[in-house]
Amino acid sequence: MLNKKFYTLMLCFMLCLGIAAMASAAPGGQYAEPSVISVSGQGKVVTSPDVVDIRIGIETTARDAKAAQMENGNKMSSILAAIKELGVKESDIKTAFFDLTPIYNYPEGKPAEMVGCTATNYIAVRVDEVVKAGNVIEAALNNGANRIDSLSFDVKEPESLRRAALKDAVRDARNKADILAGALGVRITGIKLVTENVGSVTSRDNTRLGKNAMDMVAISAMVAPLEAGTIDVSATVHVDYIVE
């Protein structure tokens, strides 16, 4: 008896669902997806870089780790003092890499023996005036640096570039939609969907300046002038505009 009531209730419920579905499919109650115009917009902002990031290093070799580290530390102190005199703030200098590598001799038939040690120390320096970058590199080389690994140009406020590129992309999308709507004889009444993609701030590739002391002559010839080029960021949006 209980099962019969249960099945009766279920049947009524299913009938109700069927009636509701039929009503929604009826001409007067049908839900229609809005008509849309789908467009993509592109935006791009180009500006000049206002900061330079440089990796400066020292490699020293001595009879043992203590001596190699001491020589390395003395030279690094001279480099730090020299670049700070040029106006580089202490907060814009940080240790990027430090390593002590033992040097071994392998005599035939005998155990390996340590005959020296190499200390390698890199600092990352941010120069907030592009025109000073060459002077900072020159000061580092003159005070013992034998590694100028790379430099890259950047901007202090990348987020403002991203916002500007995104606004340009939205304007581009709307202009395209207006043209299409006018040609089709419809009117834009709203927005159904928006998706966006903002790229990273892009400069030219990092400039590789040199890897060891043998490159110092070539590096010195490259120190000035340094051409910063331009920085750009691109954005893309996809918009579905509701029309009628």
Side-chain angles (χ1 to χ4, degrees):
M1 182 69 178
L2 186 60
N3 286 341
K4 187 175 180 180
K5 288 182 177 180
F6 174 77
Y7 286 124
T8 302
L9 288 172
M10 287 296 295
L11 181 60
C12 291
F13 178 72
M14 293 175 68
L15 286 172
C16 289
L17 287 179
I19 292 171
M22 291 174 65
S24 65
Q30 183 178 5
Y31 172 75
E33 283 286 333
S35 298
V36 298
I37 291 177
S38 297
V39 294
S40 293
Q42 287 77 40
K44 184 176 181 179
V45 177
V46 180
T47 189
S48 298
D50 53 15
V51 292
V52 185
D53 293 310
I54 311 170
R55 279 173 56 96
I56 300 170
I58 309 170
E59 184 177 289
T60 53
T61 300
R63 64 184 182 278
D64 55 39
K66 182 178 181 180
Q69 190 172 358
M70 182 174 295
E71 181 184 353
N72 196 291
N74 289 337
K75 289 184 177 180
M76 183 58 77
S77 295
S78 297
I79 291 171
L80 293 173
I83 64 177
K84 286 178 182 178
E85 285 183 4
L86 294 174
V88 177
K89 299 187 291 290
E90 188 168 351
S91 59
D92 288 333
I93 305 170
K94 66 179 180 180
T95 298
F97 177 79
F98 183 82
D99 180 66
L100 285 172
T101 303
I103 302 171
Y104 290 98
N105 186 26
Y106 299 90
E108 187 175 353
K110 295 182 180 179
E113 57 181 1
M114 182 176 169
V115 295
C117 185
T118 298
T120 304
N121 188 5
Y122 274 96
I123 56 173
V125 180
R126 168 155 283 204
V127 183
D128 60 8
E129 293 183 54
V130 174
V131 294
K132 286 186 178 181
N135 294 334
V136 170
I137 293 173
E138 187 175 13
L141 296 177
N142 290 339
N143 284 273
N146 52 15
R147 294 282 190 279
I148 305 295
D149 185 48
S150 64
L151 67 84
S152 60
F153 298 96
D154 208 341
V155 289
K156 297 174 186 175
E157 300 293 338
E159 196 55 39
S160 63
L161 289 182
R162 295 187 180 97
R163 289 194 296 268
L166 195 56
K167 288 179 180 179
D168 283 351
V170 171
R171 283 191 290 266
D172 183 48
R174 180 62 195 235
N175 288 338
K176 290 177 180 177
D178 287 339
I179 293 171
L180 289 172
L184 293 170
V186 296
R187 181 171 60 91
I188 295 175
T189 60
I191 296 173
K192 181 181 179 183
L193 179 68
V194 179
T195 58
E196 55 86 17
N197 180 31
V198 182
S200 58
V201 177
T202 305
S203 65
R204 66 178 184 174
D205 293 338
N206 288 0
T207 303
R208 183 70 57 176
L209 293 182
K211 292 185 177 181
N212 53 50
M214 295 178 65
D215 294 323
M216 290 301 105
V217 174
I219 293 173
S220 297
M222 295 177 63
V223 166
L226 295 175
E227 297 298 332
T230 57
I231 297 284
D232 63 81
V233 59
S234 299
T236 302
V237 296
H238 181 85
V239 186
D240 291 344
Y241 289 97
I242 300 171
V243 297
E244 62 179 27

